[in-house]
Amino acid sequence: MSDEGAAERVETLIDSMGRQISDESPHRPALAESLAALARLGADYTTDDPIPYARLATATADLDFMQLEGIDDRIALAERAVFLTVLFEPVVRLLRRLAQEDANHRRHHRRASGGSEPLTE
């Protein structure tokens, strides 16, 4: 996929999700570059493949903004926004990794035991 093709996929994704994203957003070309890099490595995602992840990202963004509700002081609001965006983001990534580890364990255990039921403790 060319960089131009990746940019078109980003625009299609944004439109299909009904997102309100500035034309000047630096995240548009960054996402296009990431998709193009994946394609160069042989992991060519369709326009629809990122949609479930985009939906999860929407839920995360909504949670972020819920954390900002009720803060009237602009300095406190800015501090909290930085906290959520910069400092808490590694926590979110690590929670995803833990969930992946758990999902792997549950899938491996089901295959090893020959069952289809998830492991319950």
Side-chain angles (χ1 to χ4, degrees):
M1 172 187 353
S2 69
D3 288 350
E4 185 176 305
E8 289 172 10
R9 284 190 180 178
V10 168
E11 295 309 312
T12 301
L13 175 64
I14 289 170
D15 291 343
S16 70
M17 294 292 297
R19 298 285 170 89
Q20 302 297 312
I21 307 296
S22 167
D23 290 340
E24 291 81 32
S25 173
H27 307 297
R28 286 175 183 262
L31 180 54
E33 177 54 37
S34 292
L35 291 174
L38 285 167
R40 286 191 296 273
L41 294 172
D44 196 13
Y45 287 91
T46 70
T47 303
D48 292 338
D49 289 331
I51 289 176
Y53 292 95
R55 288 185 181 128
L56 289 170
T58 297
T60 301
D62 289 344
L63 285 170
D64 288 346
F65 277 90
M66 286 173 43
Q67 296 291 318
L68 302 176
E69 289 178 8
I71 301 175
D72 296 325
D73 179 79
R74 293 177 76 177
I75 299 297
L77 185 64
E79 288 173 348
R80 184 70 174 171
V82 167
F83 171 81
L84 287 169
T85 303
V86 177
L87 301 176
F88 197 70
E89 191 166 316
V91 172
V92 174
R93 272 196 319 270
L94 290 167
L95 289 170
R96 179 182 182 203
R97 298 298 181 259
L98 288 171
Q100 289 171 336
E101 185 176 335
D102 176 66
N104 179 56
H105 174 77
R106 285 182 282 116
R107 283 169 177 77
H108 175 72
H109 179 0
R110 278 196 301 257
R111 280 194 300 264
S113 67
S116 60
E117 293 299 314
L119 176 65
T120 57
E121 298 185 26

